[in-house]
Amino acid sequence: MYSAGAHRVAGHLMRIGHLGKGASAEAKAAYREDHKRAGLAGSHELPRGFTYVREHERGIQAAVTSRRPAPACPASR
């Protein structure tokens, strides 16, 4: 089984037009804000047929507390 440690996912566009859906007002505002803050050239408007996924953390961090404690002394045979 694969598990990834926690990591940052950069903000990105996701194509949704083929699903017959449109971006929410919140996604449009987030894109506009992040696009301006990054100082990118061009329109600050979200392209038609896309939504915007903000930067976020993803993955699972192994919890040390979930591991079994080592036995106090090894069992003898």
Side-chain angles (χ1 to χ4, degrees):
M1 182 171 165
Y2 175 78
S3 76
H7 60 280
R8 184 183 73 83
V9 177
H12 60 278
L13 295 178
M14 180 180 288
R15 188 170 168 251
I16 60 172
H18 67 289
L19 301 172
K21 300 186 179 212
S24 67
E26 181 182 350
K28 291 176 183 179
Y31 178 79
R32 192 176 305 115
E33 176 186 317
D34 287 357
H35 198 269
K36 286 180 184 176
R37 184 180 35 219
L40 299 174
S43 175
H44 297 306
E45 297 304 313
L46 191 57
R48 183 184 206 116
F50 289 86
T51 191
Y52 182 66
V53 180
R54 283 202 115 149
E55 178 180 311
H56 59 279
E57 288 284 321
R58 180 166 195 172
I60 301 170
Q61 207 165 22
V64 175
T65 57
S66 69
R67 295 182 183 165
R68 287 180 157 187
C73 57
S76 59
R77 292 188 174 203

